[in-house]
Amino acid sequence: MPVAMPTQTDWVKSVLFDRGYLARIRGDAIKVYLVMLEICGGEPDKNVTISLSQLMKRTRLSCPTVIEGLSRLESLGLVVSTTHERGKVKTYYVSDPPVSLTE
């Protein structure tokens, strides 16, 4: 008897494979994105609060690499920074990106 995949898995599969974002995520940004997905429970349109040091620890990447990865994810519309105060733990919004890519 076939087992239905959870909705979260369907959404992640859709974003990464069906919509073509996996091919657009360069370098170590995929590691940052996977941590963000884990924290948001694999569901779109969720806010995630995580510090840069936590991201560095979870991904085992350097600070500049994590920042570059976040920048890439933001440029793709996969993650949106919602806290812009220096010295504050950032909150990110894990978005449900558009189907068509225009980069």
Side-chain angles (χ1 to χ4, degrees):
M1 175 175 250
V3 177
M5 288 180 15
T7 304
Q8 295 93 340
T9 305
D10 292 342
W11 175 72
V12 172
K13 177 187 171 292
S14 171
V15 169
L16 292 178
F17 298 101
D18 301 339
R19 300 182 201 178
Y21 282 90
L22 184 60
R24 299 268 178 148
I25 301 174
R26 301 283 182 245
D28 289 320
I30 188 66
K31 294 177 185 176
V32 177
Y33 189 58
L34 291 174
V35 168
M36 299 298 253
L37 288 175
E38 179 191 27
I39 293 169
C40 77
E43 295 181 28
D45 302 326
K46 292 262 184 147
N47 284 320
V48 172
T49 301
I50 188 166
S51 68
L52 186 56
S53 63
Q54 289 171 317
L55 275 172
M56 290 167 48
K57 184 177 181 179
R58 299 285 296 272
T59 60
R60 297 185 181 182
L61 298 172
S62 69
C63 184
T65 303
V66 170
I67 291 170
E68 181 182 320
L70 286 169
S71 176
R72 179 68 182 166
L73 295 173
E74 287 187 72
S75 72
L76 291 171
L78 294 170
V79 173
V80 178
S81 175
T82 57
T83 306
H84 299 284
E85 294 180 51
R86 187 170 177 86
K88 298 279 185 182
V89 174
K90 283 200 171 189
T91 301
Y92 298 92
Y93 178 76
V94 178
S95 68
D96 189 7
V99 174
S100 63
L101 296 172
T102 57
E103 187 176 290

